[in-house]
Amino acid sequence: MKSRTKARGLALQVLYEYDLTGHPIGVILERRLEEEQLDENLVEFARQIVTGVFPIIDKLDNIIAEHAPEWPLDQVAVVDRNILRIALWELAVSGSTPVKVAINEAIELAKIYGSDSSSRFINGVLGALVDHQAEIRQLFQEK
């Protein structure tokens, strides 16, 4: 597994646990970082993802639901939902990851952590979101 994929996987695990348990996000993150041996740059990357996604989960979910209405989020697997959140954050908020890389990384996470159909599902939803990338990015720039 590539190192940045590993950092994304760690962030995914933190967000997944939060979704299931509601434990404090900082506690989950620190515990995962203690368990996982990552170099400092990757620790920082994983931390950026978690601290970037967590405060805007509702906004990310609303955007996903609006642009992919055929997939109600309450019926989407927790893993898939969090992969979508991370990818959307990378595409529309962070802006530091090229679109193709963000999508490929999300598909890779889906193959590792999701079900057999997760990668196709993630690709389909992100394809719908990418068509509206400029519009979505603008929503996050508005305060």
Side-chain angles (χ1 to χ4, degrees), residues 42-81:
L42 297 177
V43 167
E44 182 55 32
F45 183 54
R47 194 180 304 276
Q48 284 174 355
I49 294 170
V50 171
T51 60
V53 170
F54 177 70
I56 59 170
I57 284 175
D58 290 340
K59 195 169 189 176
L60 294 169
D61 287 355
N62 288 338
I63 290 168
I64 294 165
E66 180 182 334
H67 293 286
E70 57 278 4
W71 299 293
L73 270 178
D74 60 341
Q75 295 175 21
V76 172
V78 176
V79 169
D80 295 351
R81 186 169 53 229

Side-chain angles (χ1 to χ4, degrees), residues 21-36:
T21 67
H23 293 152
I25 198 84
V27 172
I28 300 168
L29 177 60
E30 293 311 314
R31 189 176 62 245
R32 292 284 179 196
L33 289 172
E34 287 172 9
E35 295 169 359
E36 201 64 45

Side-chain angles (χ1 to χ4, degrees), residues 3-129:
S3 53
R4 285 179 64 96
T5 305
K6 193 171 186 177
R8 284 180 181 92
L10 187 138
L12 172 62
Q13 292 170 28
V14 170
L15 294 166
Y16 176 85
E17 183 176 335
Y18 172 77
D19 245 11
L20 290 179
T21 67
H23 293 152
I25 198 84
V27 172
I28 300 168
L29 177 60
E30 293 311 314
R31 189 176 62 245
R32 292 284 179 196
L33 289 172
E34 287 172 9
E35 295 169 359
E36 201 64 45
Q37 298 301 315
L38 294 177
D39 114 342
E40 193 53 42
N41 291 337
L42 297 177
V43 167
E44 182 55 32
F45 183 54
R47 194 180 304 276
Q48 284 174 355
I49 294 170
V50 171
T51 60
V53 170
F54 177 70
I56 59 170
I57 284 175
D58 290 340
K59 195 169 189 176
L60 294 169
D61 287 355
N62 288 338
I63 290 168
I64 294 165
E66 180 182 334
H67 293 286
E70 57 278 4
W71 299 293
L73 270 178
D74 60 341
Q75 295 175 21
V76 172
V78 176
V79 169
D80 295 351
R81 186 169 53 229
N82 281 292
I83 292 170
L84 289 170
R85 290 169 176 162
I86 291 169
L88 181 55
W89 177 80
E90 286 194 76
L91 291 168
V93 182
S94 168
S96 62
T97 307
V99 172
K100 286 184 179 186
V101 172
I103 292 172
N104 287 339
E105 286 292 313
I107 291 168
E108 188 63 28
L109 287 176
K111 288 177 182 176
I112 295 167
Y113 296 101
S115 68
D116 290 343
S117 61
S118 290
S119 59
R120 287 189 312 276
F121 170 71
I122 295 293
N123 190 40
V125 174
L126 291 177
L129 290 170

